[in-house]
Amino acid sequence: MATDGGPDKLSVVVFSGDVDKVHYALVLASGAAAIGKKVTLFFTMEACRTLMKPAADGTPAWRSLPVGAGRWADGGAMDDDFRARNLATFEELLTACPELGVKFLVCEMGLKAIGLTRADLRADIPVEEGGVVTFVTDASADGAMLFV
Amino acid sequence: MATDGGPDKLSVVVFSGDVDKVHYALVLASGAAAIGKKVTLFFTMEACRTLMKPAADGTPAWRSLPVGAGRWADGGAMDDDFRARNLATFEELLTACPELGVKFLVCEMGLKAIGLTRADLRADIPVEEGGVVTFVTDASADGAMLFV
Amino acid sequence: MATDGGPDKLSVVVFSGDVDKVHYALVLASGAAAIGKKVTLFFTMEACRTLMKPAADGTPAWRSLPVGAGRWADGGAMDDDFRARNLATFEELLTACPELGVKFLVCEMGLKAIGLTRADLRADIPVEEGGVVTFVTDASADGAMLFV
């Protein structure tokens, strides 16, 4: 039902593997969830890599993934810069999202397309697997959809 | 009218000419149409090139277009890899969409901006020409809009 | 309230600093506003640079920013080409938007992340500062949201 105060849900296709874009998707998701909106993040294709298990030394996988804007060498350099500027870091946002009720859905096709399986994803973020039909059905007629 | 089961329509601005992104737009479109959603794909700018007529030897134009993620040399290499992984190919999806009732709208301004005309587009995909007003008016208040 | 004729509002996250993408966001915004839709453009991250003050010689900042599609050397070259093709130029659209009632919102976090402040933005475009909560709350349940 249409209400004041904007859409009742955000349904976000997180397609890009650029860490700056995924970071912003997490900013949107956590911000919307914090004011009571339902949020689903649907990770697919390269974006799935941002949820991969850390390296042997514990370094999060996203730190070595690229950024789109090109001013930082990689996700790690971007995040260190954000931390220095007192902005929310990738790990802070990624941890906050499930706590705020954000649902993480991972695209089965997208995983397969880039040669990953569920076992490659970190275990501390609760994810469900699904397809585009799952995602579209999960969305709300009074919500908003974004493709990042 | 707001209903259960998500938005009643997907209205997608297909802006990027990256074949991996356009492929995913077709995945979303065909998946949503298969469960009874109305879908309009609004091709503009570089994305219009993915609908261009094939080369003299019959090779689809999109096969020589770039991919955004960089792991494949071009759209053709990506698609061959997808086929090997038993994923839906670009041509399969592009053919399925009109059969499932997906409407193809092509942006007049976008065509003009990249120096193409309707005559440059393949004839086997039924397209209508329009502008952003056509697209926005065609969308649904209870639908979702995406920019790919 | 759901009505005929599409969404009642467009709420656009303008994230990309690619001038071709921002140009198209302005095309969508001005087109939708011209037919009576409410429109909010929420500039963040690299996209904020397109609103920066001109150079000392008066050249708009966006002219030296990159384009994503790669066929033009920069935003200026793209815009000159568009002008030659009788398409709306960046400045024409940017000037038309506020006149048509398009609201410009700039993301506080996005500005900070790229080391800019409000004082770096041109004064002829009226902008408000806000965050993702401002943006999401400003959106409409019967509107559409886009991420550019």
Side-chain angles (χ1 to χ4, degrees):
Chain A
M1 182 174 45
T3 55
D4 293 328
D8 60 359
K9 184 170 193 167
L10 291 195
S11 297
V12 188
V13 182
V14 190
F15 174 93
S16 172
D18 294 338
V19 180
D20 50 338
K21 276 194 171 176
V22 180
H23 179 273
Y24 207 78
L26 297 174
V27 168
L28 280 165
S30 56
I35 55 167
K37 308 292 183 183
K38 289 169 279 180
V39 182
T40 294
L41 296 174
F42 181 51
F43 283 75
T44 190
M45 302 296 288
E46 291 296 314
C48 298
R49 297 190 194 277
T50 62
L51 299 180
M52 283 178 73
K53 285 184 171 148
D57 67 357
T59 306
W62 57 260
R63 288 191 63 91
S64 53
L65 293 177
V67 292
R71 298 175 306 109
W72 297 287
D74 57 19
M78 182 201 81
D79 208 59
D80 293 343
D81 187 26
F82 282 5
R83 183 188 302 272
R85 294 174 191 273
N86 293 313
L87 302 175
T89 64
F90 199 93
E91 283 297 317
E92 285 167 355
L93 292 165
L94 196 56
T95 306
C97 279
E99 289 170 0
L100 288 162
V102 173
K103 184 199 279 193
F104 284 70
L105 199 59
V106 174
C107 179
E108 292 163 345
M109 190 215 91
L111 274 182
K112 203 170 166 184
I114 61 168
L116 296 183
T117 68
R118 177 73 171 274
D120 295 310
L121 305 184
R122 49 199 282 178
D124 60 330
I125 306 295
V127 300
E128 296 172 34
E129 275 188 80
V132 298
V133 166
T134 320
F135 172 70
V136 170
T137 308
D138 172 82
S140 166
D142 286 325
M145 206 177 270
L146 295 166
F147 185 94
V148 173
Chain B
M1 182 174 45
T3 56
D4 293 328
D8 60 1
K9 185 169 193 168
L10 291 195
S11 296
V12 187
V13 182
V14 191
F15 174 93
S16 172
D18 293 339
V19 180
D20 51 338
K21 276 194 172 175
V22 180
H23 179 273
Y24 207 78
L26 297 173
V27 168
L28 280 164
S30 56
I35 56 168
K37 307 293 183 184
K38 290 170 278 179
V39 181
T40 294
L41 296 175
F42 181 52
F43 284 75
T44 189
M45 303 296 288
E46 291 296 314
C48 297
R49 298 190 193 276
T50 63
L51 298 180
M52 283 179 73
K53 285 185 172 147
D57 67 357
T59 305
W62 55 261
R63 288 191 62 91
S64 52
L65 294 177
V67 293
R71 297 174 306 111
W72 297 286
D74 56 19
M78 182 202 80
D79 207 59
D80 293 343
D81 187 26
F82 281 5
R83 183 189 301 273
R85 294 175 191 271
N86 293 313
L87 302 175
T89 64
F90 199 93
E91 283 297 317
E92 284 167 355
L93 292 165
L94 195 57
T95 307
C97 279
E99 289 170 0
L100 288 162
V102 173
K103 184 198 279 192
F104 285 71
L105 199 60
V106 175
C107 179
E108 292 163 344
M109 189 214 93
L111 274 182
K112 202 171 168 184
I114 62 169
L116 296 183
T117 69
R118 177 72 171 274
D120 295 309
L121 305 184
R122 49 198 286 178
D124 61 329
I125 306 295
V127 301
E128 296 173 33
E129 275 189 78
V132 298
V133 166
T134 320
F135 171 70
V136 170
T137 308
D138 172 83
S140 167
D142 286 325
M145 205 177 272
L146 295 166
F147 185 95
V148 173
Chain C
M1 183 173 44
T3 54
D4 293 328
D8 60 1
K9 184 169 194 168
L10 291 196
S11 297
V12 187
V13 182
V14 190
F15 174 92
S16 173
D18 293 340
V19 180
D20 51 337
K21 277 195 171 174
V22 180
H23 179 272
Y24 206 79
L26 296 174
V27 169
L28 281 164
S30 56
I35 56 167
K37 306 293 183 184
K38 290 168 279 179
V39 182
T40 294
L41 296 175
F42 180 52
F43 284 75
T44 190
M45 303 296 289
E46 290 297 314
C48 297
R49 297 191 194 276
T50 63
L51 299 180
M52 284 178 73
K53 285 185 170 147
D57 66 356
T59 305
W62 56 261
R63 287 190 64 91
S64 52
L65 294 177
V67 292
R71 298 174 305 109
W72 297 287
D74 57 19
M78 182 202 81
D79 208 58
D80 292 342
D81 188 26
F82 281 6
R83 183 188 301 272
R85 294 174 191 273
N86 293 313
L87 301 175
T89 63
F90 200 93
E91 283 298 316
E92 285 167 355
L93 293 165
L94 196 56
T95 306
C97 279
E99 289 170 1
L100 288 161
V102 173
K103 183 198 279 191
F104 285 71
L105 199 60
V106 174
C107 178
E108 292 163 344
M109 189 215 91
L111 274 183
K112 201 170 168 184
I114 61 168
L116 295 183
T117 69
R118 177 72 170 274
D120 296 308
L121 304 185
R122 48 198 285 177
D124 60 330
I125 305 296
V127 301
E128 296 173 32
E129 276 189 78
V132 298
V133 166
T134 320
F135 172 71
V136 170
T137 307
D138 172 83
S140 166
D142 286 325
M145 206 177 271
L146 295 166
F147 184 95
V148 173

